[in-house]
Amino acid sequence: MTAATVLVVALGEVRSPVLESVTLARTLGTPVLLSLQPLSEADTDALGRAGVARALVADLGEARHAPAVAGRAVATAAEATGATVVLLPTSFVAKEAAAHAAFLLDAGLLVDVATLRLESGELVGGKRVFAGTWETECAVTSPVAVATVRANAIVAADAPEAVTTAVEPLSVDATLPRGLVLDEHEEHPRAEGRPALAEAAVVVAGGRGTEGDFAAVEELADALGAAIGTTRDCVDEGWQPHDAQIGQTGVTIAPRLYIGAGISGAPHHHGGMQASGTIVAVNVDPDAPLVQIADLAVIGDLQEILPAAAQAIREHRES
Ligand SMILES: Cc1cc2nc3c(=O)[nH]c(=O)nc-3n(C[C@H](O)[C@H](O)[C@H](O)COP(=O)(O)OP(=O)(O)OC[C@H]3O[C@@H](n4cnc5c(N)ncnc54)[C@H](O)[C@@H]3O)c2cc1C
C-alpha cells in the first residue's frame, strides 16, 4: 500500500479532532477532506492552514447522522479520490460509519488508533487496550485501510506552508437503508466555552468527594479551558448528566491532562481514563487507588485545593 491520497472525514464541524487527523494524514500522504455538511469560511481557512488543498462536500443533511449513509458517502469519496487510507476522528457514529465504509471498500479496519505509520507497504496502527495496560499494534494487509483516530492522540499542527482549499461538491446517495427511519436527532448542548468531554485536551473530573457541590470543579475547569467529567456515582445521584460520565459504562477519554478530584479511582472509572497523558489526583485519602496511579497527587480537601489552583492559574495567565 502507498498512501498517495489520504481521505480525512469530517462528520460534523471541522474541530480539533479533524485537524489532528489531517496532521496525521500529512505523515502518510496528501490529505483530502470529505465533509458531510457545508463548510464555513472558518473551516476552509483552518483546512488551508493545515495543508488541505482539496475538500469534497457531500451535503447529506440530517441523513449524515445515520452511520450507514455516512459510511456509503465515505466509500464513494474514497473511490472518487483513489484514497488508499481513510481516517475518521473516533466517535460512536464514526466507528459505525467506518465499519460500513470498510465493508463497501473491502478494506481493513483499525478502530481508535493513537498512532499510524506505513511500514513495508502496510498501514500499522497502534493503541492501548485493556484499560490502558497493553500497547498493541495491528497491520492492515488489504490494499485500502480505514482507521478511526482517537482524539488528543496527536497535537494538531499547521502545515509548513498554508494552501488555498478548493471545495467541490460530491454527489452521493443519501437514501436511508430499507427499514431504517431517522426519527429524531438531538444535539446535547455543550456548556459555553467548554470543549466536548471526549475530545478535550484537559479534563477536570469530580467524584463523590464533591458531595454534589461542583462549583470548585467548574472553577478549575474554567481556568484551564477544560471539559468536566464525573463518576457514575455522581450521575446516579443526579449531580451531573450521564454524558459527563467517564468509565466502563460512560465515555472513554485520553486527554493530555486529567485531574480527578474526590474520585477513588475504582476499576470501572479507571478503565475510562487510564490512557490520559498526565494524571493528577486530589483526594483526602493518600491510599485511594487514583492516588496510587497518579503522576501527581495532592492530598487534601478538594474544596480548598481546586479554587487555590484556579486562582494560581488565573494569576499566572495574567502575569
Ligand atoms: C457494572 C458497573 C459499571 C460501572 N461503570 C462505571 C463507570 O463507567 N464510571 C464510573 O466512574 N464508575 C462506574 N461504576 C461505579 C464504580 O464502581 C465506583 O462506584 C465509582 O466510580 C465511584 O465513584 P467515586 O470515585 O465518585 O466515589 P467513591 O468511590 O465514594 O470515592 C470518593 C472519593 O472522594 C474522596 N473524598 C471525599 N471527600 C473529599 C474531599 N473533600 N476532598 C477530596 N477527596 C475527597 C474519598 O477519599 C474517596 O476516595 C460502575 C459500577 C458497576 C458495578
Side-chain angles (χ1 to χ4, degrees):
M1 177 192 296
T2 53
T5 299
V6 182
L7 186 71
V8 177
V9 182
L11 294 179
E13 290 165 33
V14 176
R15 290 210 301 260
S16 183
V18 173
L19 298 172
E20 289 164 21
S21 287
V22 170
T23 306
L24 189 54
R26 289 202 310 265
T27 67
L28 303 168
T30 306
V32 173
L33 187 99
L34 168 69
S35 175
L36 301 191
Q37 63 180 34
L39 291 166
S40 68
E41 206 179 312
D43 289 338
T44 45
D45 286 351
L47 291 170
R49 286 194 301 277
V52 177
R54 185 181 181 202
L56 308 176
V57 175
D59 189 0
L60 294 175
E62 285 293 293
R64 76 179 190 279
H65 301 299
V69 178
R72 197 193 298 135
V74 172
T76 304
E79 278 164 356
T81 56
T84 48
V85 175
V86 179
L87 305 182
L88 299 89
T90 294
S91 69
F92 285 120
V93 174
K95 284 193 263 191
E96 211 178 316
H100 282 282
F103 172 74
L104 292 169
L105 293 166
D106 203 12
L109 175 63
L110 298 169
V111 174
D112 212 16
V113 295
T115 60
L116 278 177
R117 64 175 197 281
L118 284 167
E119 189 177 289
S120 309
E122 291 178 347
L123 187 73
V124 180
K127 64 174 175 178
R128 284 189 188 177
V129 297
F130 300 134
T133 53
W134 285 70
E135 296 279 358
T136 62
E137 281 196 333
C138 207
V140 174
T141 54
S142 54
V144 179
V146 177
T148 75
V149 181
R150 209 185 67 198
N152 291 309
I154 51 158
V155 179
D158 286 349
E161 278 184 35
V163 295
T164 303
T165 307
V167 179
E168 50 189 277
L170 178 74
S171 174
V172 291
D173 178 2
T175 48
L176 293 167
R178 205 149 59 96
L180 185 72
V181 178
L182 193 60
D183 209 21
E184 193 181 315
H185 171 257
E186 191 183 334
E187 290 277 346
H188 287 223
R190 283 182 289 143
E192 208 172 318
R194 291 238 171 82
L197 178 61
E199 60 191 54
V202 182
V203 171
V204 182
R208 193 180 270 285
T210 60
E211 296 180 5
D213 179 359
F214 272 71
V217 172
E218 283 170 15
E219 187 182 346
L220 183 57
D222 286 346
L224 289 166
I228 288 181
T230 195
T231 63
R232 175 158 156 180
D233 290 24
C234 297
V235 174
D236 290 347
E237 291 283 0
W239 297 342
Q240 288 291 316
H242 180 256
D243 53 15
Q245 182 185 316
I246 298 163
Q248 186 182 310
T249 47
V251 183
T252 299
I253 59 167
R256 282 194 270 287
L257 171 63
Y258 162 96
I259 301 173
I263 292 178
S264 60
H268 299 108
H269 182 81
H270 188 196
M273 44 62 67
Q274 195 176 343
S276 304
T278 301
I279 297 172
V280 177
V282 180
N283 203 301
V284 287
D285 178 6
D287 295 323
L290 191 65
V291 171
Q292 304 303 315
I293 61 147
D295 298 290
L296 171 72
V298 185
I299 305 304
D301 185 350
L302 71 93
Q303 302 294 1
E304 291 171 16
I305 290 160
L306 300 196
Q311 177 66 16
I313 289 161
R314 284 193 297 266
E315 283 172 11
H316 179 71
R317 289 245 162 92
E318 281 158 19
S319 65

